[in-house]
Amino acid sequence: MEEAAVKIPPLSKPTPIKENHKMAYVITEKCHGERYGLCAGVCPTEAIFPGTYQGKNFMVIDPAICISCGACAAECPVGSIVESEDMDPTYAKINADLAPQFKANPKATPRSRDEAPKKPGNKLK
């Protein structure tokens, strides 16, 4: 008894990742001088670091570590985290530039999510 030949279609070429592919979440100006720090506690890859930028408390997301899960954005009480580098290219660059320096800093002490914002214009979600 002869087996029938099975034809397997050729594999398609994988789509190359664009060099400018943007995936990391970004901590924006709303956090500058505000810093609740709750985002770092829920990050599964520990991609969020505290530090001081222009003399004010701030947090940054390291785009090399961020997996774009969104846990941080959901945790921020004032909505200072956006889901794409394209949504705030200026702060995306600031996050990327500061992340290597901030990595060695001790973890931020989180503030209560119910604590009133320090910055005028920031409102609790």
Side-chain angles (χ1 to χ4, degrees):
M1 202 154 132
E2 200 173 301
E3 290 184 27
V6 177
K7 290 191 176 189
I8 299 173
L11 295 174
S12 62
K13 283 187 170 181
T15 306
I17 296 174
K18 297 176 187 173
E19 284 189 36
N20 65 350
H21 183 67
K22 311 262 190 255
M23 288 184 62
Y25 276 61
V26 174
I27 298 179
T28 66
E29 186 274 334
K30 282 181 156 189
C31 181
H32 189 220
E34 186 72 70
R35 189 167 77 188
Y36 278 86
L38 299 166
C39 54
V42 298
C43 180
T45 61
E46 298 182 0
I48 304 174
F49 307 101
T52 302
Y53 173 61
Q54 297 178 334
K56 296 180 182 177
N57 287 335
F58 190 50
M59 302 287 287
V60 297
I61 297 174
D62 186 333
I65 301 172
C66 178
I67 59 170
S68 298
C69 69
C72 59
E75 196 67 17
C76 182
V78 294
S80 68
I81 303 173
V82 295
E83 64 188 37
S84 166
E85 295 172 22
D86 291 331
M87 294 175 78
D88 194 330
T90 300
Y91 268 83
K93 180 166 177 22
I94 291 167
N95 278 239
D97 290 348
L98 293 176
Q101 299 164 42
F102 283 18
K103 279 183 183 181
N105 293 340
K107 295 184 184 214
T109 302
R111 289 169 49 198
S112 169
R113 72 172 39 267
D114 299 327
E115 186 179 321
K118 294 177 181 178
K119 289 180 71 171
N122 277 355
K123 294 181 178 13
L124 294 176
K125 302 192 275 182

